[in-house]
Amino acid sequence: MTARVMVRAPRTRMERDDGVGRALSKIFRERAMRRPGFSGCWVATSLPGEHQVLESYEVSGAKVTIASSQGGGLIYHAMPWEYGLQDAWVSALSKVIRSIAFLPPPTLSTSLDDLRSHVSTTSARLLRNMSSAGQVDLGKGIEEREANVGRLSEVVARYTVGLGLFEVLLSDNRIEDVYVDAPSGENPIHVTLNGVSGTNAVCRCMTNITVSEEEVDKLASRLRQSSGRPFSEAFPIMETDVEGHDSRATVIGPPLSPGGTAVALRRHSRTPWTLLKLAANGSIDASTAGLLSFLMDGRSTMLICGARGAGKSSLLSAMMFEFPLSQRILAIEDTLELPTRQMQSLGYKVQSLFVESRMDRTTEEMAEQALRVSLRLGESAIVLGEVRGKEAQTLYQSMRAGRAGSSVLGTIHGDSAASVYERVVHDMGIPKEAFLATDLVLTMGLYRPGGASRSVRRLVEVAECRRRDQGVGFHQLLGDDVRSALMGSEIVARIASSWNITMSEAVDNIQARADMRQALLDAAAADGPRFLEPDWVFRCNDFFWDRMDAGDRDYASIAADFRSYVQGRCGHVLA
């Protein structure tokens, strides 16, 4: 194999009858694609002649450009540092990569981090030896040579024990999903981006990367080895977490995928969501954040619904930071997305229960077992990453019997409160009366402003569940006249009664929470996003609860004092 191969772009099956499809396909037909000999991914080196650059930045040594083409489609163009190396360096890297296979670590029980460290250290030594022997020129002085050795050894680790070019994509905080469709050699990788040019938009776009079928099979093999899960013609589906990359992989192969192996990578958020972050990007507003804080403090039971990618898990994670510090929390999930580690670092009492399917049990069966265990672990709030089937019956039986802890939160697929009711009652077999143990259903929606191709996430419904003659009805807490809706809320009335305050005081309580969160949003706009992070959510709630514990019921004064407190740490006058 030569050090570098230059060829025309492979044939693509992405050509569609619409103008956008033809325009994007033309990009990759007309331009040569490049890959170094040690990589299994091809990249188109240049953008189309007619395009508009929306953003440019760097990720893991790769230059990333997000651009719109003439036809209106988005392009995610990545040019890794190692793809622009001189031929002598590419040749040296190829030799080192071949040598690494014969230099295993000292122990077979080495962790992935240790294995990567071993490869980086070994490849650095081999590169220094090659430089000393005059086989490759890595720079003039010691500092330059060592800097180049460090970068090149990281490249070796990426393309041996790492995920190759997939690591660049999974390191980009903008990317939520990576799709490799079969046959991979004929279909450029697609990605889903969260937010472009400061907008709260979910964008699906083509990349300039095409991955060989051999590279996809290599990725599948690595995931099979690390997870211990079967993957073959007899087991053509594999779902597993991607170790070290905060991502979830779904791999399908023949005969289910007749064109070859296909992969979908779902990337988890690296930094935890908060209600403040959701308000900052337009998914909710400060008033809604104040309402959700009040409902969480009032130990309400809530289900969060929405389509895939609508932001259900993000809202669930954000609401967890509204729990009081004294509340014990049990988090049950089959994909490690909930912010348990971050909460523990702030002093929250959180126990994570991780459930995965096994050869003898499905994920649903494992989740149901974990839920039964959680009910025996004492008084706790229960957070379910996803409510599916069998565990739902156990959950609702426990809630009706008063054994489900102080509050229950969970996500469920559906596009409205009514659809969640239909699914839980008719599909899962939960009695109508049992469903009333659910206090509220929150709906996250994906909508396309004006029919645009980009979708925007937004909380579109906060529906209170109520008993009706015909079964269950819903009272909407979002709308034009929010105060009137809150004054007519049975859930707000129940919380007010348990706190021995009037309905008017409860609504003032909610307004104060909203005003305090608006102060943090104003501070973030003036002095940076640190005011949106979990520690400031904690300070906000702690400030409020301290005043409540002291018997202060002047809600307007509490909000004003908190604004002054934030302004003093912001260094800017808040409007």
Side-chain angles (χ1 to χ4, degrees), residues 15 19 52 60 97 172 208 231 241 260 316 344 472 485 518 552 568:
E15 297 181 35
Q52 179 183 359
S60 296
I97 288 173
D172 191 340
N208 64 320
F231 183 67
D241 287 318
L316 178 65
Q344 288 171 345
V472 176
Q518 186 60 57
D552 189 349

Side-chain angles (χ1 to χ4, degrees), residues 42 47 158 162 199 222 235 238 244 305 328 340 352 363 367 375 377 392 423 498 533 542 545 547 566:
W42 305 88
L47 285 158
R158 178 183 297 172
T199 65
R222 183 160 297 160
F235 299 93
M238 175 174 56
C305 73
R328 187 164 184 259
T340 54
S352 178
T363 300
L375 296 173
L377 291 177
R423 183 179 180 206
S498 69
E533 295 299 330
D542 199 45
W545 288 323
R547 296 286 285 267
V566 173

Side-chain angles (χ1 to χ4, degrees), residues 530-531 536 562-572 574:
R530 63 190 177 97
F531 292 95
W536 272 100
F562 182 72
R563 175 170 282 270
S564 298
Y565 169 78
V566 173
Q567 182 169 290
R569 282 146 184 80
C570 172
H572 295 270
L574 303 182

Side-chain angles (χ1 to χ4, degrees), residues 472-542:
V472 176
F474 299 99
H475 174 68
Q476 302 298 332
L477 298 185
L478 293 184
D480 295 332
D481 190 355
V482 176
R483 187 175 184 89
S484 177
L486 293 178
M487 290 295 291
S489 166
E490 294 178 358
I491 302 300
V492 173
R494 187 199 70 197
I495 296 172
S497 176
S498 69
W499 292 355
N500 195 30
I501 61 176
T502 66
M503 281 293 287
S504 180
E505 287 178 312
V507 174
D508 291 342
N509 184 302
I510 294 170
Q511 184 60 54
R513 294 171 189 260
D515 292 343
M516 294 168 74
R517 280 149 183 80
Q518 186 60 57
L520 290 172
L521 290 169
D522 293 342
D527 197 43
R530 63 190 177 97
F531 292 95
L532 309 177
E533 295 299 330
D535 62 323
W536 272 100
V537 175
F538 172 77
R539 292 190 204 184
C540 178
N541 288 332
D542 199 45

Side-chain angles (χ1 to χ4, degrees), residues 134-146:
Q135 297 174 4
V136 61
D137 182 4
L138 296 179
K140 301 299 183 183
I142 294 178
E143 291 186 3
E144 182 181 353
R145 284 198 299 272
E146 283 302 304

Side-chain angles (χ1 to χ4, degrees), residues 354-464:
F354 181 51
V355 296
E356 273 196 314
S357 61
R358 303 185 319 202
M359 293 293 288
D360 59 334
R361 290 193 177 187
T362 65
T363 300
E364 288 81 0
E365 290 172 327
M366 293 295 291
E368 198 268 343
Q369 181 186 33
L371 179 58
R372 288 188 180 277
V373 170
S374 70
L375 296 173
R376 297 195 293 268
L377 291 177
E379 197 280 334
S380 305
I382 297 175
V383 180
L384 279 169
E386 183 173 353
V387 178
R388 279 183 248 255
K390 189 174 182 180
E391 76 276 11
Q393 296 184 2
T394 302
L395 177 65
Y396 276 96
Q397 289 171 2
S398 303
M399 287 194 293
R400 291 193 74 191
R403 295 186 295 109
S406 56
S407 62
V408 177
L409 300 176
T411 68
I412 189 169
H413 284 286
D415 57 10
S416 66
S419 70
V420 168
Y421 171 75
E422 292 294 327
R423 183 179 180 206
V424 170
V425 172
H426 297 296
D427 297 344
M428 298 181 180
I430 305 299
K432 295 178 182 179
E433 295 78 12
F435 182 81
L436 285 168
T438 306
D439 293 326
L440 303 114
V441 178
L442 282 57
T443 304
M444 288 295 294
L446 277 172
Y447 74 98
R448 296 164 55 189
S453 60
R454 305 172 192 178
S455 299
V456 175
R457 296 186 175 106
R458 182 168 293 172
L459 180 64
V460 297
E461 184 181 50
V462 177
E464 176 181 300

